[in-house]
Amino acid sequence: MTPSGREHPASPPTVLRMREVRDRALFDLDDGPVTPSNRADLSATTRLLNVLLASLVVSSLQYEQHALAVRAPSARPLAELLFAGADRDRGDARLVATRIRQLGCVGDYDPQHLSARSRVAFRAFPDGDVVGIVTQNLVGARVLVQTLQEAVRWLGDDDPTTRRLLERLLEAKETQADELSAQSSQQQAATARPGAPPGT
């Protein structure tokens, strides 16, 4: 009997039986970390990850361009936030591409495919349109938050490693959205003040 009063099952789960675990591990050695216990549809999972990869790459490029468009000295903290967002999204895209490789495929960085696959729409703004820049990046962050949430729900327990990766990315993207939301409120308040210069 267990301490809670429940009996142990007559035999351990298949995954705990040493001989069966070894037999399954020896099956298709070329698959590397992908073993028969991974119940995910690998083709569908790879397509999903390539959508996320494209979205993160496009988001990083948009952050970068917008950071360079913010020139007012008073808006330097915003530019630094946008540059940090670009760096974070590039790093996250690399993590997604690495997971795609572990699943036996290759991440698609082809520029001809990125914009069509991305859930984030790239938009440029005139220099100094701080409100438009912040709003656009906040929308992009919220799009990725929703996409990652749905991806985590869809994966469920079928591929725990991919799910944990997406959960980490989701947490980071929610933090970005929170920071951009604060910037959006600040910029809107500044714009509402009579005579307030743009970007203050």
Side-chain angles (χ1 to χ4, degrees), residues 120-200:
V120 175
F122 185 100
R123 183 180 174 191
F125 289 86
D127 290 358
D129 186 357
V130 175
V131 173
I133 285 172
V134 172
T135 300
Q136 176 68 9
N137 285 287
L138 175 56
V139 170
R142 285 170 56 82
V143 165
L144 274 166
V145 165
Q146 293 178 82
T147 303
L148 286 161
Q149 286 173 338
E150 292 301 321
V152 168
R153 293 188 189 105
W154 177 77
L155 275 171
D157 295 327
D158 289 346
D159 185 345
T161 302
T162 300
R163 188 191 68 240
R164 285 197 304 272
L165 169 62
L166 299 187
E167 287 171 343
R168 291 197 300 271
L169 301 186
L170 173 59
E171 183 178 1
K173 190 53 66 176
E174 286 177 341
T175 299
Q176 280 186 347
D178 187 47
E179 293 169 344
L180 288 165
S181 180
Q183 280 288 333
S184 179
S185 298
Q186 179 181 329
Q187 296 302 326
Q188 290 174 11
T191 303
R193 292 200 301 268
T200 59

Side-chain angles (χ1 to χ4, degrees), residues 59 87 113 134 175:
S59 178
D87 292 341
H113 303 156
V134 172
T175 299

Side-chain angles (χ1 to χ4, degrees), residues 8-27:
H8 285 295
S11 59
T14 301
V15 71
L16 298 180
R17 298 177 195 151
M18 182 60 69
R19 182 168 181 175
E20 291 184 34
V21 170
R22 178 173 173 77
D23 289 346
R24 294 168 72 182
L26 289 171
F27 183 74

Side-chain angles (χ1 to χ4, degrees), residues 35-50:
T35 65
S37 61
N38 186 318
R39 301 193 302 268
D41 180 335
L42 296 184
S43 177
T45 300
T46 299
R47 287 196 302 272
L48 168 67
L49 291 177
N50 266 313

Side-chain angles (χ1 to χ4, degrees), residues 70-151:
V70 177
R71 299 186 180 185
S74 58
R76 183 167 295 174
L78 172 60
E80 292 174 353
L81 174 64
L82 296 173
F83 277 128
D87 292 341
R88 177 72 197 217
D89 281 2
R90 270 196 301 273
D92 288 348
R94 192 174 302 118
L95 293 175
V96 172
T98 299
R99 184 57 183 162
I100 292 172
R101 180 183 55 76
Q102 290 172 343
L103 294 175
C105 298
V106 177
D108 187 356
Y109 280 94
D110 189 333
Q112 293 182 341
H113 303 156
L114 288 175
S115 61
R117 186 178 292 118
S118 171
R119 295 284 180 87
V120 175
F122 185 100
R123 183 180 174 191
F125 289 86
D127 290 358
D129 186 357
V130 175
V131 173
I133 285 172
V134 172
T135 300
Q136 176 68 9
N137 285 287
L138 175 56
V139 170
R142 285 170 56 82
V143 165
L144 274 166
V145 165
Q146 293 178 82
T147 303
L148 286 161
Q149 286 173 338
E150 292 301 321

